[in-house]
Amino acid sequence: MPRVMAEVKEAWSCSLGEAVEALDAHGFDPRDEDSLAHGALWLRRLGNDPHFLGDLIVETLAACGARETAESAYGPQAIVLSGMREGFFLRANVWPSERDHAFRTSGARSFVYGIPHDHNFDFLTVGYFGPGYSSDYYEYDYEAVVGRCGETAELRFVERSTLSPGKLMHYRAHRDVHRQLPPESLSVSLNIVAANPAAGWFDQYGFDVAAGTVTGVLNPTATEVFLRLAVGLGGAEALDMAQRFGRLHPSDRLRLACFEARANAAGSPAAADAVWREAERCGSRLVAEEAQTRRRGLSTMR
Ligand SMILES: [Fe+2]
């Protein structure tokens, strides 16, 4: 489960500006223990100020009203506190309880409750307001998983625990899996999120914890979507690009999308089978395993 950083003790508080300034000066690299401890200390200090978030919300809403615009960094759940910095950003997450209006109108899935997932980024979090959400925590070995839907992920259950007020944790990318449960009453957590520009190419998975399997990738890239669209529209250059990316692209997921797009545009089951035969030999375990499944599906259609 995420590492509980109970050793980070601090009685003082700081303002949001002071926290951002300190993190700007020192950076935030969760792979470096000193950097992680520094980030945790400033998150602890920020979390010790019980007023800054309420003040910020009032300030922002008042400014919006004065401008009569809808400009805001506020979504239904995440409040961006710092904007993107060099390698990180700060945010507050709002966790409604089952009794709250937002939960009743938007539903559990909008807040990722009950959807086991990992993260493709590291982040620090601290319980800031309310009793905090609970999670069933699991761990798994990212390197042993290719990401095929239905693949066994060897999830290891660790425990159920709550992000109670003041509890500070480090969620480790591609390792910690959690299934969140709504808190007893409205809660807020604060995060420092490591922002790696390459993170989008690394999968975030959903899991079926009862079966111990991957249910799918939760972070499709815009590149995949545009490529599928371009191939679907039938352009020769798009097809050529899909063939090249399918053979050579560093992202297995994009390679799979290339073969899928080509198979969908192939025109006949026999032509689609030829695409998947090529995929079986492309050298990617993810693509090859998926290709075998698709070929079995095609053979039952014929
Ligand atoms: Fe999560």
Side-chain angles (χ1 to χ4, degrees), residues 94-109 111 113-114 131-134 160 179-187:
V94 179
W95 304 105
S97 74
E98 286 175 327
R99 295 191 305 277
D100 287 313
H101 179 75
F103 183 100
R104 286 187 278 113
T105 54
S106 300
R109 292 187 72 84
F111 302 96
Y113 294 141
Y133 66 81
S134 297
R160 175 176 290 190
R179 186 174 74 92
Q180 284 173 278
L181 308 163
E184 292 293 312
S185 63
L186 185 75
S187 298

Side-chain angles (χ1 to χ4, degrees), residues 59-72:
E59 210 175 277
T60 308
L61 290 176
C64 281
R67 290 202 305 274
E68 291 187 348
T69 72
E71 281 176 27
S72 167

Side-chain angles (χ1 to χ4, degrees), residues 117 119 178 180:
H117 61 276
H119 308 87
H178 69 153
Q180 284 173 278

Side-chain angles (χ1 to χ4, degrees), residues 90-250:
L90 279 88
R91 73 180 177 193
N93 280 326
V94 179
W95 304 105
S97 74
E98 286 175 327
R99 295 191 305 277
D100 287 313
H101 179 75
F103 183 100
R104 286 187 278 113
T105 54
S106 300
R109 292 187 72 84
S110 302
F111 302 96
V112 208
Y113 294 141
I115 303 175
H117 61 276
D118 69 347
H119 308 87
N120 59 338
F121 51 86
D122 283 75
F123 65 100
L124 288 172
T125 188
V126 67
Y128 180 67
F129 173 82
Y133 66 81
S134 297
S135 291
D136 288 329
Y137 287 106
Y138 300 79
E139 292 184 18
Y140 83 112
D141 181 2
Y142 179 75
E143 296 300 329
V145 168
V146 298
R148 182 174 49 79
C149 190
E151 181 181 2
T152 299
E154 305 286 355
L155 291 171
R156 301 178 293 279
F157 178 70
V158 182
E159 67 174 31
R160 175 176 290 190
S161 60
T162 301
L163 184 65
S164 49
K167 186 171 181 181
L168 202 156
M169 295 202 294
H170 171 206
Y171 278 73
R172 299 159 300 179
H174 306 302
R175 180 163 167 183
D176 297 313
V177 172
H178 69 153
R179 186 174 74 92
Q180 284 173 278
L181 308 163
E184 292 293 312
S185 63
L186 185 75
S187 298
V188 178
S189 59
L190 306 179
N191 298 161
I192 304 175
V193 180
N196 177 349
W201 291 109
F202 295 95
D203 298 332
Q204 177 182 25
Y205 298 130
F207 297 92
D208 178 335
V209 292
T213 54
V214 174
T215 55
V217 173
L218 300 183
N219 62 328
T221 64
T223 309
E224 280 175 63
V225 175
F226 285 128
L227 186 129
R228 288 175 199 274
L229 191 59
V231 172
L233 288 170
E237 283 187 35
L239 200 57
D240 178 61
M241 179 179 279
Q243 284 170 339
R244 281 187 291 115
F245 280 9
R247 281 196 300 271
L248 300 169
H249 201 277

